Amino acid sequence: IIQERDRDREFLNQIVNNVPATIMVKDASNRRYVLVNQAGEEYFGTSRDQIIGKTAQEVWPKATADVITGHDAQLLQSDGNLFFDEHLVDTPGNGSRFVTSKRLVIRDGKGEPQYLLGVIEDVTERKRAADELRRTQNFLNAVVENVPQPIVVKSVPSAGENVNEYRFTLINRAAEKLFGISRDQMIGKNVHDVDLKDHGDFVVSQDSEALQANHPILVREHSVKNSNNDIRIVTSRKVAIRDDNGKPEYLDAVRNVVGIRCGAISSNM
């Protein structure tokens, strides 16, 4: 029986030690660490020998230790199960890390708190990647917004939907100036919603041609009549933006204003 118990204990220790998330356990009576797994050593930035038997105040920088002590107090006053969303901690030897944590109270046979269990997920790299993606997106948005040529992007209808339902998803500042319409009045709408209906068919035909081509298409000189009845002569370059499977998702159109003319002819948005 003793050998079987020892085998079970060793088996459980192996499982806990190889879980990729940080697992740490404290004695509920004195708040001293009694278990830290291998992922915890990496998270702490120090060996478990420097942690086991110590309190948070003896292991962590003071500001972080105070937060941990507060979390422990909250846990003991709760129903025994708490989740703390993404927050910043200063580790003993691994710098500042963004983490989420789940904390549980393990009770004895009398229902008294015996251990405090913490499972911590280090989300630092994920957050950095998300922040970098956001910075890149903001940079690209700023570039598109300040390009002097009018840029218009429309979503492509799914198979079976009406081809007239190409809806505006991006309008830059130069395009607002060209059309004389704010992007708020265009985003989410199709060309028939914002243009004279007798010109919409020409627009849709050019969009369809661009979707069927495997390369950008050039649209000959044509007129764009804005909301003030001013007419600009422009050329357009349209290209379908496709997903990894080659399916068109967006239609991108870049225009170049080449002149001004009086009198309405046709309009292409």
Side-chain angles (χ1 to χ4, degrees), residues 69-124:
T69 300
H71 286 177
D72 289 345
Q74 280 183 258
L75 178 60
L76 289 170
Q77 294 172 7
S78 71
D79 61 1
N81 188 336
L82 287 179
F83 175 78
F84 296 96
D85 207 350
E86 184 181 291
H87 55 283
L88 182 67
V89 297
D90 292 320
T91 66
N94 196 25
S96 296
R97 312 296 294 178
F98 286 94
V99 302
T100 63
S101 65
K102 185 174 184 179
R103 296 176 181 270
L104 304 169
V105 176
I106 299 174
R107 302 182 184 276
D108 61 20
K110 298 179 181 179
E112 295 298 321
Q114 187 173 16
Y115 298 107
L116 305 181
L117 169 65
V119 180
I120 297 174
E121 182 182 5
D122 188 337
V123 297
T124 306

Side-chain angles (χ1 to χ4, degrees), residues 15 31 52 61 66 169 186 224:
I15 291 176
R31 313 284 178 86
I52 301 299
D66 289 344
T169 59
M186 298 180 69
V224 173

Side-chain angles (χ1 to χ4, degrees), residues 147-162:
V147 167
Q149 283 79 23
I151 297 176
V152 174
V153 178
K154 300 173 189 171
S155 61
V156 175
S158 301
E161 291 186 330
N162 192 319

Side-chain angles (χ1 to χ4, degrees), residues 3-14:
Q3 289 179 340
E4 184 177 349
R5 182 195 63 191
D6 290 342
R7 282 197 302 269
D8 290 343
R9 180 179 296 172
E10 179 62 23
F11 175 66
L12 291 174
N13 285 340
Q14 288 294 325

Side-chain angles (χ1 to χ4, degrees), residues 208-266:
S208 297
E209 181 181 346
L211 288 178
Q212 292 169 9
N214 292 320
H215 53 79
I217 68 165
L218 298 177
V219 182
R220 67 184 185 281
E221 286 188 5
H222 53 278
S223 64
V224 173
K225 183 179 180 182
N226 66 21
S227 60
N228 297 320
N229 290 323
D230 295 327
I231 295 176
R232 298 292 183 268
I233 309 305
V234 303
T235 59
S236 298
R237 178 182 179 274
K238 292 191 174 187
V239 61
I241 301 174
R242 302 177 185 274
D243 62 18
D244 292 339
N245 297 317
K247 177 184 176 182
E249 288 188 300
Y250 300 99
L251 185 65
D252 178 29
V254 180
R255 290 165 173 76
N256 184 39
V257 179
V258 297
I260 301 173
R261 187 163 66 204
C262 297
I265 303 176
S266 66

